[in-house]
Amino acid sequence: MSGGTADGANDHRIVMMAAISSLLCKEPVIITGAEAVSKSYPDFFWDLKKLELDGNVRI
């Protein structure tokens, strides 16, 4: 996988899936609408950062 842009479509599940999928990408994954995670897991991106699993995610 090479990376790219993912539209979160105001859906927290799509945003989280795109972030996790970025772990397999060589290039960054840019997620638009990433604020949708606040519906179910407001600290999602903070927790990814703490686990050092946010390297290819751009929001």
Side-chain angles (χ1 to χ4, degrees):
M1 296 180 154
S2 62
T5 301
D7 178 3
N10 201 29
D11 188 321
H12 57 120
R13 298 164 296 183
I14 293 172
V15 172
M16 289 188 274
M17 179 276 309
I20 298 302
S21 296
S22 76
L23 297 172
L24 301 173
C25 295
K26 295 177 184 170
E27 299 296 324
V29 172
I30 300 164
I31 302 172
T32 60
E35 63 277 356
V37 298
S38 65
K39 292 177 185 177
S40 63
Y41 192 168
D43 292 333
F44 178 73
F45 288 106
W46 172 248
D47 288 344
L48 280 185
K49 186 172 182 70
K50 284 193 308 189
L51 295 169
E52 298 181 2
L53 297 174
D54 64 333
N56 277 333
V57 176
R58 305 289 182 269
I59 54 173

